[in-house]
Amino acid sequence: MPERVEVPGAVPCDYTLVEAGKAQVVPGGVIDEALLSIYVNGQSLATMMCSPLQLEALAIGYLYNEGIIASASDIGHLQLNQASSVADVILRRGEAPLPRRMILTSGCGGGMTGQELSASQPALPSDFAACPELILRLMRGLQGAAKLYQAVRGVHTAALGDASGILVSAEDVGRHNAVDKVAGAALLAGIDTRERILLCSGRISSEMLGKARRMGVPIVVSRTAPTSISLALARAWRICIVGYARQSSLRVYSHPWRLSLYAPTPNPSPKMREGL
């Protein structure tokens, strides 16, 4: 008989299992989902559905990926209320330009961004490259870091890695939140996100690519696929997208030279920008 799930980020929940024509009640659990509102200098910035884990990292990573802060040192004070439903952030420099127009994205849980997702933005100048073997090894590390997923499923995992292995990881009901948590955890730990590899369990959307570009990540890897806009952005920004990285195979959708497969592509052709 399975044991009742009691892990952070999950809520115990019995369910009826129907198998081979027989039904039985078994103990289990479901992913916990909460509401977090982020305030900056007393002004409401965003409210998101998320997993109630690593909330400070989520707030910091979101502010960084939206371009509101340049480092964790820009934050003078960050406090969660008693219910962990509000993150109140005070910036050291006082007034900060906050996005006036938030875009509803295709992220799980209804992600929001104020980023300008345009191929006209500068491409990453880095010539960082890795090898397929490292990508597959890091994906195995991502699976090992997915403790909450292994317990109850229904959650996304993201991680930052390099040749030494997984540096930071996070889980959340939204894949975009998981990436923000990774960015925030890296900032808090003093880990440079540039010239690293971003790994995630879910679909690579345009918003995800925007976060990767902000983090200076030249290789983004997923167990699934990219969208058409994220692919066009990746080609313009010199970001290598790797999809369906499973067991011993993977699909390289853009800039395969970053996996040492072909010669570098210095500038995207106009055709690569189509669809934006």
Side-chain angles (χ1 to χ4, degrees), residues 37 39 56 75 77-82 86-90:
S37 296
Y39 284 77
E56 290 189 357
I75 296 177
H77 180 73
L78 191 160
Q79 182 174 345
L80 295 173
N81 67 345
Q82 188 172 3
V86 174
D88 194 14
V89 180
I90 304 298

Side-chain angles (χ1 to χ4, degrees):
M1 175 72 68
E3 296 182 357
R4 184 176 300 278
V5 172
E6 294 185 2
V7 297
V11 176
C13 174
D14 294 345
Y15 60 91
T16 300
L17 175 66
V18 179
E19 195 171 48
K22 297 181 179 180
Q24 62 174 326
V25 177
V26 297
V30 295
I31 186 70
D32 194 6
E33 187 174 26
L35 195 69
L36 179 68
S37 296
I38 300 176
Y39 284 77
V40 177
N41 295 342
Q43 181 178 343
S44 176
L45 175 64
T47 297
M48 59 189 70
M49 301 304 299
C50 62
S51 296
L53 302 170
Q54 297 174 278
L55 294 181
E56 290 189 357
L58 173 58
I60 292 172
Y62 183 80
L63 294 179
Y64 177 79
N65 282 335
E66 289 297 317
I68 296 170
I69 63 172
S71 69
S73 63
D74 288 344
I75 296 177
H77 180 73
L78 191 160
Q79 182 174 345
L80 295 173
N81 67 345
Q82 188 172 3
S84 294
S85 60
V86 174
D88 194 14
V89 180
I90 304 298
L91 301 183
R92 293 187 185 279
R93 65 177 185 273
E95 293 297 324
L98 301 183
R100 293 184 178 180
R101 182 174 66 97
M102 302 301 289
I103 303 170
L104 183 65
T105 74
S106 60
C108 302
M112 290 184 296
T113 182
Q115 303 177 79
E116 178 191 356
L117 301 177
S118 168
S120 64
Q121 291 180 293
L124 294 184
S126 168
D127 288 331
F128 175 85
C131 64
E133 291 75 19
L134 174 60
I135 300 301
L136 294 170
R137 176 162 61 86
L138 288 175
M139 282 301 290
R140 289 192 291 272
L142 178 73
Q143 295 169 11
K147 304 300 184 184
L148 189 55
Y149 174 83
Q150 293 168 13
V152 294
R153 302 294 194 263
V155 65
H156 284 290
T157 311
L160 190 72
D162 61 13
S164 66
I166 298 296
L167 301 173
V168 293
S169 64
E171 293 181 273
D172 200 279
V173 290
R175 62 184 184 276
H176 52 287
N177 290 344
V179 172
D180 283 336
K181 286 180 178 180
V182 164
L187 286 173
L188 289 171
I191 297 173
D192 193 342
T193 58
R194 293 172 297 181
E195 301 203 340
R196 310 285 189 181
I197 299 169
L198 179 64
L199 307 111
C200 50
S201 60
R203 183 179 69 253
I204 302 175
S205 64
S206 55
E207 180 196 17
M208 299 278 279
L209 252 291
K211 294 179 186 299
R213 181 187 175 280
R214 170 65 176 164
M215 295 166 66
V217 173
I219 301 177
V220 180
V221 187
S222 172
R223 283 181 53 82
T224 61
T227 65
S228 61
I229 294 181
S230 66
L231 180 54
L233 290 173
R235 288 169 171 169
W237 293 343
R238 299 179 80 231
I239 295 177
C240 173
I241 289 182
V242 179
Y244 293 97
R246 305 174 183 180
Q247 296 181 341
S248 61
S249 67
L250 45 82
R251 301 179 187 180
V252 185
Y253 289 89
S254 61
H255 298 289
W257 61 269
R258 287 202 184 274
L259 294 191
S260 306
L261 300 176
Y262 303 103
T265 303
N267 296 303
S269 67
K271 185 176 182 180
M272 289 181 178
R273 299 172 183 260
E274 290 179 1
L276 293 182

